[in-house]
């Protein structure tokens, strides 16, 4: 399907089932969703990925941390919290400690499966895929550095989008960062100024691209109408294509 209708926002719920926890970790592993790792009393945020889930031994492994100085805190035995986002779902859990291991000839950190996770379905909007052939652009502007980062949309909903950018933006963008002077470029709408919050950044070495999850922060009503109109257009087109596929 080119688009999916997501259920509306749900209250957070605690997940304690071993099977469900294992399933959520495997989902994050297979989709290569980035993890945001934070340590108590430390302001720096780190990125990692789930690289293995062993339901038999009740453990999982995450990759080395980015920036790399975070590895030292794990190796010192400091507890940490993990936040991940998958298609509008926020998943959070805590690790009391992790052990450095060698996984597939590369360093990693193994920890017991969490006893509980917090699962929060936040988004209640259509998220429509945007084909590369469509003229859709996005510009992330960091005025303090006099820097503009240009990319194209992968998908978009009424509340946010995912975009692709050339190169590794892991050091240039941080989860939670607010870029108030950014913009979207949508067909028939032109350039729309909108404040954008960075949700997560994932770098793919094979394509030398960064995929960045972004949330729109209180767009002006006129801009929100243009975004809604574009999402609805993509939604109708997707339905038409799906109907054609039936014949």
């Amino acid at each position: 399907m080119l688009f999916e209708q997501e259920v509306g926002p749900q209250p957070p719920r605690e997940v304690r089932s071993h099977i469900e926890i294992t399933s959520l970790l495997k989902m994050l592993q297979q989709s290569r969703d980035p993890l945001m790792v934070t340590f108590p009393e430390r302001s720096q945020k780190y990125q990692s990925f789930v690289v293995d889930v062993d339901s038999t031994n009740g453990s999982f492994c995450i990759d080395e941390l980015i920036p790399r100085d975070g590895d030292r805190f794990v190796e010192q035995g400091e507890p940490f919290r993990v936040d991940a986002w998958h298609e509008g779902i926020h998943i959070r859990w805590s690790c009391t400690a992790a052990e450095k291991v060698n996984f597939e000839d590369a360093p990693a950190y193994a920890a017991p499966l969490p006893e509980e996770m917090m699962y929060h379905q936040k988004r209640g909007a259509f998220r429509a895929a945007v084909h590369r052939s469509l003229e859709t652009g996005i510009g992330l502007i960091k005025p303090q550095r006099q820097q503009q980062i240009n990319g194209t949309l992968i998908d978009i909903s009424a509340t946010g989008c995912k975009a692709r950018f050339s190169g590794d933006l892991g050091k240039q963008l941080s989860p939670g960062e607010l870029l108030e002077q950014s913009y979207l470029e949508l067909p028939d709408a032109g350039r729309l100024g909108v404040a954008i919050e960075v949700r997560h950044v994932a770098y793919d070495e094979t394509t030398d691209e960064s995929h960045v999850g972004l949330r729109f922060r209180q767009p002006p009503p006129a801009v929100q109408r243009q975004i809604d109109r574009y999402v609805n257009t993509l939604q109708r087109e997707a339905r038409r294509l799906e109907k054609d596929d039936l014949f």
Side-chain angles (χ1 to χ4, degrees):
M1 293 177 64
L2 293 177
F3 72 95
E4 57 180 351
Q5 183 175 15
E6 299 155 351
V7 298
Q10 303 291 319
R13 66 181 179 91
E14 294 179 350
V15 177
R16 292 193 173 94
S17 161
H18 176 91
I19 293 175
E20 193 169 1
I21 287 172
T22 301
S23 176
L24 289 173
L25 287 170
K26 287 184 176 179
M27 176 187 72
L28 295 174
Q29 176 190 1
Q30 292 166 2
S31 58
R32 288 289 290 171
D33 290 313
L35 311 178
M36 185 175 73
V37 178
T38 53
F39 297 88
E41 301 178 5
R42 298 189 187 278
S43 59
Q44 177 70 51
K45 297 179 176 67
Y46 299 89
Q47 181 174 287
S48 185
F49 297 88
V50 176
V51 294
D52 184 53
V53 182
D54 189 335
S55 57
T56 303
N57 293 326
S59 64
F60 71 103
C61 291
I62 64 172
D63 202 356
E64 294 176 294
L65 273 58
I66 303 170
R68 292 294 304 278
D69 66 298
D71 293 341
R72 176 164 51 91
F73 306 136
V74 179
E75 292 169 21
Q76 290 173 178
E78 294 190 24
F80 55 91
R81 167 175 150 169
V82 182
D83 290 81
W85 289 266
H86 178 84
E87 297 182 356
I89 301 166
H90 182 193
I91 303 168
R92 183 179 77 242
W93 71 94
S94 296
C95 290
T96 55
E99 177 186 5
K100 188 172 184 178
V101 295
N102 192 45
F103 177 72
E104 294 184 349
D105 298 324
Y109 296 98
L113 292 176
E115 295 184 0
E116 68 175 32
M117 285 179 157
M118 191 64 69
Y119 178 100
H120 190 188
Q121 169 70 51
K122 288 189 169 184
R123 195 174 64 222
F126 279 101
R127 175 153 289 212
V130 181
H131 293 288
R132 283 181 182 263
S133 60
L134 297 176
E135 296 179 359
T136 58
I138 186 168
L140 305 181
I141 297 176
K142 307 184 74 170
Q144 66 273 25
R145 294 188 182 180
Q146 297 184 335
Q147 181 183 23
Q148 178 171 319
I149 307 169
N150 296 319
T152 57
L153 298 186
I154 297 172
D155 59 38
I156 185 171
S157 75
T159 56
C161 64
K162 182 183 287 185
R164 65 172 64 85
F165 301 87
S166 297
D168 185 356
L169 299 186
K171 294 182 179 179
Q172 298 181 54
L173 299 175
S174 302
E177 185 175 4
L178 182 61
L179 306 172
E180 297 186 11
Q181 300 178 25
S182 300
Y183 64 86
L184 293 171
E185 285 184 329
L186 303 182
D188 302 323
R191 181 170 293 193
L192 306 172
V194 62
I196 292 177
E197 178 187 343
V198 178
R199 302 307 302 274
H200 55 78
V201 182
Y203 175 62
D204 187 341
E205 292 184 0
T206 59
T207 60
D208 189 31
E209 287 182 344
S210 291
H211 289 186
V212 183
L214 302 160
R215 185 174 71 170
F216 307 138
R217 288 290 295 271
Q218 299 177 333
V223 172
Q224 186 66 65
R225 285 196 297 273
Q226 293 284 3
I227 293 172
D228 292 344
R229 187 175 297 126
Y230 184 58
V231 172
N232 289 335
T233 299
L234 292 175
Q235 178 183 325
R236 287 196 302 271
E237 178 65 11
R239 285 198 177 117
R240 185 188 66 78
L241 292 173
E242 286 185 337
K243 188 179 293 185
D244 290 346
D245 285 344
L246 296 176
F247 301 97

